[in-house]
């Protein structure tokens, strides 16, 4: 029997564990989509650690919300949302990060992390790897739809998805 899952706001002392989940989930999810040189780079984990330390301590990230999902005190999922920085968008908030370790897919942690960083009823946008049918189906269940925009970031094709304000999201 699995221990209860706890979702809470991230704290500065979570940065290293968040980096571990970030890199671990990339390696589990993006192998074959992202170049192996990126995923296997020994500098990837320290770089993600510096990123999360900055997010959780620097003033420039104050408008952002970060959350972790944990089981028995171990971080198993991470999320980050904040103001949209793209010039051509009409949504209020952008989801920048939502990653779970594979063992926690389908546990409800992803939905709970999203709810922790994206205010209910607000418009939002995100970019998701393509192909990544599991993630795309998850976002559709959360009220997001592709808006036709695509990009390639570090060799990975991504599609943009948006959620209108006050979505009708089925409860699952």
């Amino acid at each position: 029997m699995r221990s209860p899952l706890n979702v809470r706001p991230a704290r500065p002392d979570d940065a290293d564990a968040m980096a571990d989940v970030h890199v671990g989930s990339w390696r589990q999810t993006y192998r074959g989509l992202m170049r192996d040189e990126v995923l296997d780079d020994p500098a990837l984990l320290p770089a993600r650690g510096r990123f999360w330390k900055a997010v959780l301590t620097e003033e420039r990230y104050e408008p952002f919300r970060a959350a972790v999902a944990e089981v028995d005190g171990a971080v198993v999922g991470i999320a980050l949302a904040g103001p949209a920085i793209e010039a051509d968008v009409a949504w209020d908030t952008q989801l920048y990060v939502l990653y779970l370790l594979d063992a926690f897919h389908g546990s409800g942690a992803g939905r709970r992390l999203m709810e922790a960083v994206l205010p209910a009823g607000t418009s939002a946008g995100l970019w998701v790897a393509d192909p990544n049918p599991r993630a795309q189906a998850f976002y559709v269940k959360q009220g997001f739809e592709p808006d036709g925009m695509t990009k390639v970031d570090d060799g990975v094709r991504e599609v943009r998805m948006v959620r209108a304000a006050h979505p009708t999201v089925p409860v699952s």
Side-chain angles (χ1 to χ4, degrees):
M1 182 173 195
R2 192 179 274 179
S3 296
L5 180 84
N6 180 45
V7 173
R8 62 170 174 77
R11 302 181 300 250
D13 64 341
D14 293 321
D16 289 338
M18 293 174 80
D20 287 340
V21 169
H22 201 155
V23 171
S25 64
W26 274 14
R27 289 176 176 160
Q28 293 169 347
T29 303
Y30 297 138
R31 186 73 65 189
L33 290 177
M34 190 178 278
R35 294 186 336 265
D36 287 345
E37 308 84 77
V38 173
L39 295 173
D40 298 331
D41 185 343
L44 182 59
L45 184 58
R48 291 292 87 195
R50 288 188 300 276
F51 168 76
W52 286 109
K53 280 180 180 70
V55 166
L56 299 172
T57 62
E58 293 181 10
E59 188 175 312
R60 66 185 167 131
Y61 289 103
E62 276 187 24
F64 289 74
R65 285 175 298 286
V68 297
E70 59 186 3
V71 173
D72 292 330
V75 175
V76 300
I78 58 176
L80 177 68
I85 56 172
E86 297 175 65
D88 66 333
V89 300
W91 58 75
D92 303 321
T93 306
Q94 186 153 334
L95 182 66
Y96 291 99
V97 173
L98 181 61
Y99 294 117
L100 291 170
L101 296 178
D102 275 356
F104 296 90
H105 288 181
S107 70
R111 179 185 48 78
R112 290 181 57 199
L113 279 165
M114 179 178 286
E115 290 169 354
V117 299
L118 284 179
T122 60
S123 59
L126 59 88
W127 288 93
V128 60
D130 187 43
N132 190 344
R134 182 182 195 124
Q136 291 173 13
F138 167 80
Y139 291 126
V140 167
K141 284 181 184 177
Q142 306 311 311
F144 287 83
E145 297 178 358
D147 73 353
M149 296 295 295
T150 63
K151 68 178 180 178
V152 176
D153 188 17
D154 205 7
V156 178
R157 182 177 189 274
E158 297 179 58
V159 296
R160 191 166 71 183
M161 299 181 79
V162 297
R163 178 179 81 183
H166 307 290
T168 305
V169 179
V171 176
S172 53

